[in-house]
Every structure is written in C-alpha cells, then in structure tokens.
Amino acid sequence: MAERNLAKLISVAKGEYPADLLILNAKVVNVFNGEIEEGNIAIAGEYIAGVGDYTEGKDVADVRGKYVLPGYINAHVHIESSMLDVAEYVTTVVTRGTLGLVTDLHELSNVLGIEAFNYVIEMCNKLPLDFYLMAPSCVPATTLETSGASIDVSALEEIMKKPGVIGLGEMMNYPGVLKKDPAILNKLKMFQDFLIDGHAPGLGGRDLSAYISSGIYSDHECISADEAREKLAKGMYIMMREGSSEKNLEALLPLVNDKNYHRCMLVTDDRNAVDLNTEGDMDWAVYRAVSLGIDPVRAIQMATINPAQYLGAKKVGAIAPGYFA
C-alpha cells in the first residue's frame, strides 16, 4: 500500500481540495453500523477521504445508485485446490470482488518447501490482491506421507521472517498438541506473538480447552452448530466454509446472532476451478449466506471487516475515511 499524503487526505476530507476520484450516487454498505448509506465517495491518492456530500473531483464516476462494498477477504483458502497458477487464480477471484486472502501454501510447500513461499511472494508484488501468508504447521501432514519437502522448526524460522507472513497455518495435528509433542510445542512457541489458525474437527470439552490454551484461536472445521457454539464460547473465531467439498453454511448460520456475529467469518477453504468459474468465490459464499436467511449486510460484514479485524489488518475491510481504496 502506498504511503498516505496526510495533508492532502485531510484537505480532501474537509472539502478544501477536490478528490482525485469522486464516486457519485453510491449506496455504500457501512460494515460498522450495518446500514446502507447514500452518498458520494471522495478518494485521495489510494485512500478514502470521506463518504458524504462531496461534489468536486478531478475524475468523476457516477454509479447511479449501485451498491458499493469493501473488497472481500477470504480468511482461509488453499489456492492450490483451484488447480490454477497463482496469477490465473488471482485474475479469477479479483473480478468477483475478492481483494485479500489468507493462505498457508500447505500443498505447494509439501512439494517445494520454502521455495513455494519465494515463488508466491515474488508473484504477490505483481498482482492486485493482498496476500496474508501463514507458515505451514504440518508439512508433511503425517509421517505416512511421501512429500517433496519437510518444514521443520529451522525452516519455519526462515519463513516467519519473509514479507507478508503473519502467523502459523492451521494446526491440524491436534493429537500432537494434546500429547504435548515437543516438535509441535516448539512450533507453537515460535508463533505465540503471531496468529495461529486451528484445525480441530469434533474437538470439545477439556481437550478443546487444552488445544485453545496453546494459543490457537480460530477453527474452520466445524460441521455442526453445537460444535461451533462451544468453540465460540471458549474464545475461538469460527470460519464457516462454503467451498467445493465442504459446505457448512446451512448447518452453521443459524448460530449467528447479534451477540456473536463479529466472531464469525465466511471462507471457502478449497474451491476448484470449475466452481470458481460457474458459481464464484467469496461472492458465492455471501450469496449462499443470504439465500439461507442471513441479512445481506451481515453476510458482507462476515466477509470483509470481520476477517480484517481478526487478521489485525488495518485500513482494509470497510469503506470509511482513511481506509485503503
């Protein structure tokens, strides 16, 4: 993201200076108060100066009452499942409104090891999408696997220093956590000051408490409302999947209410090229949520500001003053 020219941004926000781009007659989805607000959007440089009665802009685009919403952020996805190269994948999802994603490159790392990160990071700098990278916690996934690489603690130390890496990817070896496997505990200790994503299907009771106590505060594997309810109550963020193989929204969405929605996110996890082309990406997850009875603005919140706040990603996930445009 470009450095902000604060003086210019403030001047445009105050109406003292024309916007670089003025978007007229928009119905703006406000993810903070859950309202639809009619107004104009003033943009200075690459940032939003304000939403309201702005009238001057060097460039003007009249959207004539169309809805304007923040870019979707997919908080848990394996881009490899699309069977597309990174650039082709981005071309596909960006046109459908996905502007950020979180991925641990688990499958690529199984084949290429650290080189997978080098390749994707190089591509990230050329593509119009924000990558939030997680270091893969379980490569290979099991000792029974024949993989092309192994990501041990020393490799994780190298990966965690790379640009864009914000945490440790899904800790699917929950038996190793519960058995206090030294290698697993070392990985968790390394990332105590980072995000650590979970992967604990069916885990509950004291075992769930033990798993969470190790620093793991999200889960995308819930398949029942009761499972998700317990995990929410114990402090986890719940990622609700609508992918190609796992489709959990119908079972989980009845759990979402005014008290807990801010801890819930829509994700795709695994989505193949055919489904991306015929149905969509995060736009499809939002559509499915709405078709199952979720308020449209709430569905958008679960795909924008909620993942942004979970990630600690500032200036994205909303259309508001100072946010990235």
Side-chain angles (χ1 to χ4, degrees), residues 38-50:
E38 296 187 3
N40 303 330
I41 305 169
I43 296 172
E46 297 186 8
Y47 293 85
I48 297 167

Side-chain angles (χ1 to χ4, degrees), residues 31-34 232 255-265 298 301-302 305-306:
V31 294
F32 296 122
N33 61 18
L232 271 172
L255 175 69
V256 179
N257 58 43
D258 289 342
K259 296 179 180 179
N260 64 24
Y261 77 91
H262 58 288
R263 307 281 291 190
C264 301
M265 293 171 271
R298 174 124 321 154
Q301 289 170 317
M302 292 168 65
I305 193 64
N306 289 8

Side-chain angles (χ1 to χ4, degrees), residues 81-84 92 244 271-280:
S81 297
S82 69
M83 303 299 175
L84 300 171
T92 302
S244 292
R271 196 101 171 114
N272 63 48
V274 173
D275 289 343
L276 286 172
N277 183 54
T278 58
E279 294 176 341

Side-chain angles (χ1 to χ4, degrees), residues 24-312:
L24 296 176
N25 301 312
K27 292 180 179 178
V28 179
V29 179
N30 188 322
V31 294
F32 296 122
N33 61 18
E35 302 289 339
I36 305 290
E37 300 175 347
E38 296 187 3
N40 303 330
I41 305 169
I43 296 172
E46 297 186 8
Y47 293 85
I48 297 167
V51 179
D53 58 353
Y54 297 95
T55 57
E56 294 186 53
K58 297 174 183 176
D59 289 318
V60 177
D62 190 342
V63 297
R64 301 180 181 181
K66 287 186 171 65
Y67 292 91
V68 181
L69 54 146
Y72 298 127
I73 301 171
N74 194 343
H76 184 82
V77 58
H78 299 286
I79 58 178
E80 302 96 324
S81 297
S82 69
M83 303 299 175
L84 300 171
D85 180 68
V86 178
E88 190 64 30
Y89 175 86
V90 170
T91 299
T92 302
V93 301
V94 166
T95 57
R96 292 183 171 274
T98 300
L99 297 183
L101 60 82
V102 184
T103 184
D104 66 1
L105 304 180
H106 177 89
E107 287 86 353
L108 273 174
S109 297
N110 256 301
V111 178
L112 297 174
I114 292 177
E115 284 306 309
F117 279 83
N118 296 336
Y119 171 69
V120 172
I121 289 171
E122 180 183 356
M123 295 298 293
C124 289
N125 296 327
K126 305 173 184 176
L127 299 170
L129 186 146
D130 293 331
F131 284 80
Y132 303 94
L133 300 175
M134 306 290 276
S137 63
C138 302
V139 173
T142 73
T143 56
L144 302 176
E145 233 177 72
T146 301
S147 65
S150 176
I151 303 293
D152 56 14
V153 170
S154 62
L156 284 176
E157 288 176 343
E158 184 176 343
I159 290 172
M160 71 189 303
K161 297 175 184 176
K162 292 184 178 296
V165 176
I166 63 169
L168 186 66
E170 53 181 310
M171 179 48 73
M172 62 185 73
N173 189 358
Y174 64 86
V177 176
L178 299 180
K179 293 177 181 178
K180 296 165 284 187
D181 181 292
I184 297 299
L185 296 189
N186 283 338
K187 293 178 181 180
L188 293 170
K189 289 175 183 177
M190 284 177 59
F191 285 87
Q192 284 300 299
D193 294 328
F194 293 74
L195 284 177
I196 304 177
D197 279 343
H199 173 120
L203 204 61
R206 292 180 178 178
D207 283 348
L208 176 60
S209 296
Y211 183 74
I212 296 171
S213 71
S214 69
I216 302 168
Y217 289 104
S218 75
D219 190 90
H220 60 275
E221 288 287 333
C222 296
I223 61 172
S224 73
D226 286 342
E227 180 183 357
R229 185 177 293 109
E230 181 183 3
K231 288 175 176 176
L232 271 172
K234 290 185 175 180
M236 294 188 111
Y237 287 83
I238 302 301
M239 299 174 178
M240 301 181 176
R241 296 178 294 188
E242 194 69 14
S244 292
S245 57
E246 300 300 326
K247 303 178 187 295
N248 306 134
L249 292 190
E250 187 170 0
L252 299 182
L253 285 176
L255 175 69
V256 179
N257 58 43
D258 289 342
K259 296 179 180 179
N260 64 24
Y261 77 91
H262 58 288
R263 307 281 291 190
C264 301
M265 293 171 271
L266 302 178
V267 301
T268 63
D269 196 1
D270 296 292
R271 196 101 171 114
N272 63 48
V274 173
D275 289 343
L276 286 172
N277 183 54
T278 58
E279 294 176 341
D281 184 50
M282 287 294 291
D283 56 327
W284 174 253
V286 170
Y287 169 80
R288 280 288 293 149
V290 173
S291 70
L292 290 167
I294 289 290
D295 174 78
V297 175
R298 174 124 321 154
I300 291 167
Q301 289 170 317
M302 292 168 65
T304 57
I305 193 64
N306 289 8
Q309 292 184 339
Y310 167 69
L311 297 170

